[in-house]
Amino acid sequence: MIESIEMKVTGMKCGGCETHVKTQLSAIAGVHKVEASFKDTQVRVAFDDSQTTLEAIKSAIAEAGFHVVAA
Ligand SMILES: [Cu+2]
């Protein structure tokens, strides 16, 4: 099933950071769509929950150097 989630993510400071988040998350199998906004400190992800998990997505954001505040 496709899950659509919205997370509050801090640490993004420019369009390059948005791109970084999108690139990292798009590399995960099962991630269909990523939107990131540093202005809104928000990341939206649509993913197939039979292929990946919210935890995997959160840790990919953390590995990219950003912080998931709430999901
Ligand atoms: Cu940046």
Side-chain angles (χ1 to χ4, degrees):
M1 207 175 90
I2 304 296
E3 291 272 357
S4 258
I5 51 144
E6 206 174 88
M7 288 172 282
K8 186 169 172 63
V9 175
T10 59
M12 297 186 290
K13 292 186 172 62
C14 67
C17 297
E18 293 175 353
T19 304
H20 192 191
V21 169
K22 286 188 218 170
T23 306
Q24 291 296 113
L25 297 189
S26 300
I28 301 171
V31 170
H32 288 250
K33 196 180 174 199
V34 185
E35 285 174 45
S37 167
F38 75 92
K39 279 185 207 139
D40 300 335
T41 61
Q42 221 167 45
V43 174
R44 286 195 188 89
V45 187
F47 66 99
D48 187 333
D49 66 3
S50 67
Q51 288 186 277
T52 189
T53 62
L54 180 55
E55 285 312 307
I57 289 165
K58 284 188 194 173
S59 47
I61 292 173
E63 274 167 34
F66 307 106
H67 306 282
V68 181
V69 180

Coordinates of all heavy atoms in Angstrom, one line a residue:
M1 N 0.8 -1.2 0.0 CA 0.0 0.0 0.0 C 0.9 1.2 0.0 O 1.9 1.3 0.6 CB -0.9 0.0 1.3 CG -2.2 0.7 1.1 SD -3.2 0.5 2.6 CE -2.6 1.9 3.6
I2 N 0.4 2.3 -0.7 CA 1.2 3.5 -0.7 C 0.8 4.4 0.5 O -0.3 4.7 0.7 CB 1.0 4.3 -2.1 CG1 1.3 3.5 -3.3 CG2 1.8 5.6 -2.0 CD1 2.7 3.1 -3.4
E3 N 1.8 4.7 1.2 CA 1.6 5.6 2.4 C 2.1 7.0 2.0 O 3.2 7.1 1.4 CB 2.5 5.1 3.5 CG 2.0 3.8 4.1 CD 1.0 4.0 5.2 OE1 0.7 5.2 5.5 OE2 0.5 3.0 5.7
S4 N 1.4 8.0 2.4 CA 1.8 9.4 2.2 C 2.1 10.0 3.5 O 1.1 10.1 4.3 CB 0.8 10.2 1.4 OG 1.2 10.3 0.1
I5 N 3.3 10.4 3.8 CA 3.5 11.0 5.1 C 4.2 12.4 5.0 O 4.8 12.7 4.0 CB 4.4 10.1 6.0 CG1 5.7 9.7 5.2 CG2 3.7 8.9 6.5 CD1 6.9 9.6 6.1
E6 N 4.0 13.1 6.0 CA 4.5 14.5 6.1 C 5.3 14.6 7.4 O 4.9 14.2 8.4 CB 3.3 15.4 6.1 CG 3.6 16.8 5.6 CD 2.3 17.6 5.6 OE1 2.0 18.3 6.6 OE2 1.6 17.6 4.5
M7 N 6.6 15.0 7.2 CA 7.4 15.1 8.4 C 8.0 16.5 8.6 O 8.2 17.2 7.6 CB 8.7 14.2 8.2 CG 8.4 12.8 8.3 SD 9.8 11.8 7.9 CE 9.7 11.9 6.1
K8 N 8.2 16.9 9.8 CA 8.9 18.2 10.1 C 10.3 17.9 10.1 O 10.8 17.0 10.9 CB 8.3 18.8 11.4 CG 8.9 20.2 11.6 CD 8.2 20.8 12.8 CE 8.9 22.2 13.2 NZ 8.8 23.2 12.1
V9 N 11.1 18.5 9.3 CA 12.6 18.2 9.2 C 13.3 19.6 9.3 O 13.1 20.5 8.5 CB 12.9 17.5 7.9 CG1 14.4 17.4 7.7 CG2 12.2 16.2 7.8
T10 N 14.2 19.6 10.2 CA 15.0 20.9 10.4 C 16.5 20.6 9.9 O 16.9 19.5 9.7 CB 15.1 21.3 11.8 OG1 15.7 20.3 12.6 CG2 13.7 21.6 12.4
G11 N 17.1 21.7 9.6 CA 18.5 21.6 9.1 C 18.7 22.0 7.6 O 19.8 22.2 7.2
M12 N 17.6 22.0 6.9 CA 17.6 22.4 5.5 C 17.7 23.9 5.4 O 16.9 24.6 6.0 CB 16.4 21.8 4.7 CG 16.3 20.3 4.7 SD 14.9 19.8 3.6 CE 13.5 20.3 4.5
K13 N 18.7 24.4 4.6 CA 18.9 25.8 4.6 C 18.8 26.4 3.2 O 18.8 27.7 3.1 CB 20.3 26.2 5.2 CG 20.3 25.9 6.7 CD 21.7 26.4 7.3 CE 21.7 26.3 8.8 NZ 21.5 24.9 9.2
C14 N 18.7 25.6 2.2 CA 18.6 26.2 0.8 C 18.1 25.1 -0.1 O 17.8 24.0 0.3 CB 20.0 26.6 0.4 SG 21.2 25.3 0.1
G15 N 17.9 25.5 -1.4 CA 17.5 24.5 -2.4 C 18.4 23.3 -2.5 O 17.9 22.2 -2.9
G16 N 19.7 23.5 -2.3 CA 20.6 22.4 -2.3 C 20.3 21.4 -1.3 O 20.4 20.1 -1.6
C17 N 19.9 21.8 -0.1 CA 19.6 20.9 0.9 C 18.3 20.1 0.5 O 18.2 18.9 0.8 CB 19.3 21.6 2.2 SG 20.7 22.5 2.9
E18 N 17.4 20.8 -0.1 CA 16.1 20.1 -0.5 C 16.5 19.0 -1.5 O 16.0 17.9 -1.4 CB 15.2 21.1 -1.2 CG 14.6 22.2 -0.3 CD 13.8 23.2 -1.0 OE1 13.8 23.2 -2.3 OE2 13.2 24.1 -0.4
T19 N 17.4 19.4 -2.4 CA 17.8 18.4 -3.5 C 18.5 17.2 -2.8 O 18.3 16.1 -3.2 CB 18.7 19.1 -4.5 OG1 18.0 20.2 -5.0 CG2 19.2 18.1 -5.6
H20 N 19.3 17.5 -1.8 CA 20.0 16.4 -1.1 C 19.1 15.5 -0.5 O 19.2 14.2 -0.6 CB 20.9 17.1 0.0 CG 21.9 16.1 0.6 ND1 22.7 16.5 1.7 CD2 22.3 14.9 0.2 CE1 23.4 15.4 2.0 NE2 23.2 14.5 1.1
V21 N 18.1 16.0 0.2 CA 17.0 15.1 0.8 C 16.3 14.3 -0.2 O 16.1 13.1 -0.1 CB 16.0 16.0 1.6 CG1 14.8 15.1 2.0 CG2 16.7 16.6 2.8
K22 N 15.9 15.0 -1.3 CA 15.2 14.3 -2.4 C 16.0 13.2 -3.0 O 15.5 12.1 -3.3 CB 14.8 15.3 -3.5 CG 13.6 16.2 -3.1 CD 13.2 17.0 -4.3 CE 12.8 18.4 -3.9 NZ 12.6 19.3 -5.0
T23 N 17.3 13.5 -3.2 CA 18.2 12.5 -3.9 C 18.4 11.3 -2.9 O 18.3 10.1 -3.4 CB 19.6 13.1 -4.2 OG1 19.4 14.3 -4.9 CG2 20.5 12.1 -4.9
Q24 N 18.6 11.5 -1.7 CA 18.8 10.4 -0.7 C 17.6 9.5 -0.6 O 17.7 8.3 -0.6 CB 19.1 11.0 0.7 CG 20.5 11.7 0.8 CD 21.6 10.7 0.6 OE1 22.3 10.8 -0.4 NE2 21.8 9.7 1.4
L25 N 16.4 10.2 -0.5 CA 15.2 9.4 -0.3 C 14.8 8.7 -1.6 O 14.3 7.6 -1.5 CB 14.1 10.3 0.2 CG 14.3 10.9 1.6 CD1 13.0 11.6 2.1 CD2 14.8 9.9 2.6
S26 N 15.0 9.3 -2.7 CA 14.6 8.7 -4.0 C 15.4 7.4 -4.3 O 15.0 6.6 -5.0 CB 14.8 9.7 -5.2 OG 14.0 10.8 -5.0
A27 N 16.6 7.3 -3.6 CA 17.4 6.2 -3.8 C 16.9 5.0 -3.1 O 17.4 3.8 -3.3 CB 18.9 6.5 -3.4
I28 N 16.0 5.1 -2.2 CA 15.4 4.0 -1.4 C 14.4 3.3 -2.3 O 13.5 3.9 -2.8 CB 14.8 4.5 -0.1 CG1 15.8 5.2 0.7 CG2 14.1 3.3 0.6 CD1 15.2 5.9 2.0
A29 N 14.5 2.0 -2.4 CA 13.5 1.2 -3.2 C 12.2 1.3 -2.5 O 12.1 1.2 -1.3 CB 14.0 -0.2 -3.3
G30 N 11.2 1.7 -3.3 CA 9.8 1.8 -2.7 C 9.4 3.2 -2.5 O 8.2 3.4 -2.3
V31 N 10.3 4.1 -2.6 CA 10.0 5.5 -2.5 C 9.5 6.1 -3.8 O 10.2 6.0 -4.8 CB 11.1 6.4 -1.9 CG1 10.8 7.9 -2.0 CG2 11.4 6.0 -0.5
H32 N 8.3 6.5 -3.9 CA 7.7 7.0 -5.1 C 7.8 8.4 -5.4 O 8.0 8.9 -6.5 CB 6.2 6.6 -5.2 CG 6.0 5.1 -5.3 ND1 5.5 4.6 -6.4 CD2 6.2 4.1 -4.4 CE1 5.4 3.3 -6.3 NE2 5.8 3.0 -5.1
K33 N 7.7 9.2 -4.3 CA 7.6 10.7 -4.5 C 8.2 11.4 -3.3 O 7.9 11.0 -2.2 CB 6.2 11.1 -4.8 CG 6.1 12.5 -5.4 CD 4.6 12.9 -5.6 CE 4.5 14.3 -6.1 NZ 3.2 14.9 -5.9
V34 N 9.0 12.4 -3.5 CA 9.6 13.1 -2.4 C 9.4 14.6 -2.7 O 9.7 15.1 -3.8 CB 11.1 12.9 -2.2 CG1 11.6 13.6 -1.0 CG2 11.4 11.4 -2.1
E35 N 8.9 15.3 -1.7 CA 8.9 16.8 -1.8 C 9.5 17.3 -0.6 O 9.3 16.8 0.5 CB 7.4 17.3 -1.8 CG 6.7 17.1 -3.2 CD 5.3 17.5 -3.1 OE1 5.0 18.5 -2.5 OE2 4.4 16.7 -3.5
A36 N 10.4 18.3 -0.7 CA 11.1 18.9 0.4 C 11.0 20.4 0.3 O 11.2 21.0 -0.8 CB 12.5 18.4 0.5
S37 N 10.8 21.0 1.4 CA 10.7 22.5 1.5 C 11.5 23.0 2.7 O 11.1 22.7 3.8 CB 9.3 23.0 1.5 OG 9.3 24.4 1.9
F38 N 12.6 23.7 2.5 CA 13.4 24.2 3.6 C 12.6 25.4 4.3 O 12.7 25.6 5.5 CB 14.8 24.6 3.2 CG 14.9 25.9 2.4 CD1 15.1 27.1 3.1 CD2 14.8 25.9 1.1 CE1 15.2 28.3 2.4 CE2 14.9 27.1 0.3 CZ 15.1 28.3 1.0
K39 N 11.8 26.1 3.5 CA 11.0 27.2 4.1 C 10.0 26.7 5.0 O 9.8 27.3 6.1 CB 10.3 28.0 2.9 CG 11.3 29.0 2.2 CD 10.5 29.8 1.2 CE 11.4 30.3 0.1 NZ 10.7 30.2 -1.2
D40 N 9.3 25.6 4.7 CA 8.3 25.1 5.5 C 8.8 24.1 6.5 O 8.1 23.5 7.3 CB 7.2 24.4 4.7 CG 6.6 25.4 3.7 OD1 6.6 26.6 4.0 OD2 6.0 25.0 2.7
T41 N 10.1 23.8 6.5 CA 10.8 22.7 7.2 C 10.0 21.4 7.2 O 9.7 20.8 8.2 CB 11.0 23.1 8.7 OG1 9.8 23.4 9.4 CG2 11.9 24.3 8.9
Q42 N 9.6 21.1 5.9 CA 8.8 20.0 5.7 C 9.2 19.0 4.6 O 9.7 19.5 3.6 CB 7.4 20.5 5.4 CG 6.3 19.7 6.0 CD 5.0 20.5 5.9 OE1 4.6 21.0 4.8 NE2 4.2 20.6 7.0
V43 N 9.0 17.8 4.8 CA 9.3 16.8 3.8 C 8.1 15.9 3.7 O 7.6 15.4 4.7 CB 10.6 15.9 4.2 CG1 10.8 14.8 3.1 CG2 11.8 16.8 4.2
R44 N 7.7 15.7 2.4 CA 6.5 14.8 2.2 C 7.1 13.6 1.3 O 7.8 13.8 0.4 CB 5.5 15.5 1.3 CG 4.7 16.5 2.1 CD 3.4 16.9 1.3 NE 2.7 18.0 2.0 CZ 3.0 19.2 1.7 NH1 3.9 19.6 0.8 NH2 2.4 20.2 2.4
V45 N 6.7 12.4 1.8 CA 7.2 11.2 1.1 C 6.0 10.3 0.8 O 5.2 10.1 1.7 CB 8.2 10.5 1.9 CG1 8.8 9.3 1.1 CG2 9.3 11.4 2.4
A46 N 5.9 9.8 -0.4 CA 5.0 8.7 -0.7 C 5.8 7.5 -1.0 O 6.7 7.5 -1.8 CB 4.2 9.1 -2.0
F47 N 5.5 6.4 -0.2 CA 6.3 5.2 -0.3 C 5.4 4.0 -0.2 O 4.3 4.0 0.4 CB 7.4 5.2 0.7 CG 6.9 5.1 2.2 CD1 6.9 3.8 2.8 CD2 6.5 6.2 2.8 CE1 6.4 3.7 4.1 CE2 6.0 6.1 4.2 CZ 6.0 4.9 4.8
D48 N 5.9 2.9 -0.8 CA 5.2 1.6 -0.8 C 5.7 0.9 0.5 O 6.8 0.5 0.7 CB 5.6 0.8 -2.0 CG 4.9 -0.5 -2.1 OD1 4.4 -1.0 -1.1 OD2 4.7 -1.0 -3.2
D49 N 4.7 0.7 1.4 CA 5.1 0.1 2.7 C 5.4 -1.4 2.7 O 5.8 -1.9 3.7 CB 4.1 0.5 3.8 CG 2.7 -0.1 3.6 OD1 2.6 -0.9 2.6 OD2 1.8 0.1 4.4
S50 N 5.3 -2.0 1.5 CA 5.7 -3.4 1.4 C 7.2 -3.4 1.0 O 7.8 -4.5 1.0 CB 4.8 -4.1 0.4 OG 5.1 -3.6 -0.9
Q51 N 7.7 -2.3 0.6 CA 9.1 -2.2 0.2 C 10.1 -1.5 1.1 O 11.3 -1.8 1.1 CB 9.2 -1.6 -1.2 CG 8.7 -2.4 -2.3 CD 8.9 -1.8 -3.7 OE1 8.1 -0.9 -4.1 NE2 10.0 -2.2 -4.3
T52 N 9.5 -0.5 1.8 CA 10.4 0.2 2.8 C 9.5 0.6 4.0 O 8.3 0.4 4.0 CB 11.1 1.4 2.1 OG1 12.1 1.9 3.0 CG2 10.1 2.5 1.7
T53 N 10.2 1.2 5.0 CA 9.5 1.6 6.2 C 9.7 3.1 6.5 O 10.7 3.7 6.0 CB 10.0 0.8 7.4 OG1 11.4 1.1 7.6 CG2 9.8 -0.7 7.2
L54 N 8.9 3.6 7.3 CA 9.1 5.0 7.8 C 10.4 5.2 8.5 O 11.1 6.2 8.4 CB 7.9 5.4 8.7 CG 7.9 6.8 9.3 CD1 8.1 7.9 8.2 CD2 6.7 7.1 10.1
E55 N 10.8 4.1 9.3 CA 12.0 4.2 10.0 C 13.2 4.3 9.0 O 14.2 5.0 9.3 CB 12.2 2.9 10.9 CG 11.4 2.9 12.1 CD 11.5 4.2 12.9 OE1 12.6 4.6 13.2 OE2 10.4 4.8 13.2
A56 N 13.2 3.5 7.9 CA 14.3 3.6 6.9 C 14.4 5.0 6.3 O 15.5 5.5 6.1 CB 14.1 2.6 5.8
I57 N 13.2 5.6 6.1 CA 13.2 6.9 5.5 C 13.7 8.0 6.5 O 14.5 8.8 6.2 CB 11.7 7.3 5.1 CG1 11.4 6.4 3.8 CG2 11.6 8.8 4.8 CD1 9.9 6.4 3.5
K58 N 13.3 7.8 7.8 CA 13.8 8.7 8.8 C 15.3 8.6 8.9 O 16.0 9.6 9.1 CB 13.2 8.4 10.1 CG 11.8 8.9 10.3 CD 11.4 8.7 11.7 CE 9.9 8.9 12.0 NZ 9.6 8.5 13.3
S59 N 15.9 7.4 8.9 CA 17.3 7.2 9.1 C 18.1 7.8 7.9 O 19.2 8.3 8.0 CB 17.7 5.8 9.5 OG 17.2 4.9 8.8
A60 N 17.5 7.7 6.7 CA 18.1 8.2 5.5 C 18.2 9.8 5.6 O 19.2 10.4 5.2 CB 17.4 7.8 4.2
I61 N 17.2 10.4 6.2 CA 17.2 11.8 6.4 C 18.3 12.2 7.4 O 19.1 13.1 7.2 CB 15.8 12.3 6.8 CG1 14.8 12.2 5.7 CG2 15.9 13.8 7.3 CD1 13.4 12.5 6.1
A62 N 18.4 11.4 8.5 CA 19.4 11.6 9.5 C 20.8 11.5 8.9 O 21.7 12.3 9.2 CB 19.2 10.7 10.7
E63 N 21.0 10.4 8.1 CA 22.3 10.2 7.5 C 22.7 11.3 6.5 O 23.9 11.6 6.4 CB 22.3 8.9 6.7 CG 22.6 7.7 7.5 CD 22.3 6.4 6.8 OE1 22.4 6.3 5.6 OE2 21.8 5.4 7.5
A64 N 21.7 12.0 5.9 CA 22.0 13.1 5.0 C 22.3 14.3 5.8 O 22.8 15.3 5.3 CB 20.7 13.4 4.2
G65 N 22.2 14.3 7.2 CA 22.6 15.4 8.0 C 21.5 16.3 8.5 O 21.7 17.4 9.0
F66 N 20.2 15.8 8.3 CA 19.1 16.6 8.8 C 18.4 16.0 9.9 O 18.7 14.8 10.3 CB 18.2 16.9 7.6 CG 18.9 17.5 6.4 CD1 19.2 16.7 5.3 CD2 19.4 18.8 6.4 CE1 19.9 17.2 4.2 CE2 20.1 19.3 5.3 CZ 20.3 18.5 4.2
H67 N 17.4 16.7 10.5 CA 16.8 16.2 11.7 C 15.3 16.1 11.5 O 14.6 17.1 11.2 CB 17.1 17.1 12.9 CG 18.6 17.3 13.1 ND1 19.4 16.3 13.7 CD2 19.4 18.3 12.7 CE1 20.6 16.8 13.6 NE2 20.7 18.0 13.0
V68 N 14.8 14.9 11.7 CA 13.3 14.7 11.7 C 12.8 15.1 13.1 O 13.2 14.4 14.1 CB 13.0 13.2 11.4 CG1 11.4 13.1 11.4 CG2 13.5 12.8 10.1
V69 N 12.0 16.1 13.2 CA 11.5 16.6 14.5 C 10.2 15.9 14.8 O 10.0 15.5 15.9 CB 11.3 18.1 14.4 CG1 10.7 18.6 15.7 CG2 12.5 18.8 14.0
A70 N 9.4 15.7 13.8 CA 8.1 15.0 14.1 C 7.6 14.4 12.8 O 7.9 14.9 11.7 CB 7.1 16.0 14.6
A71 N 7.0 13.2 12.9 CA 6.4 12.6 11.7 C 5.0 12.1 12.0 O 4.6 12.0 13.1 CB 7.3 11.3 11.3
Ligands
CU1 CU 21.5 23.9 1.7

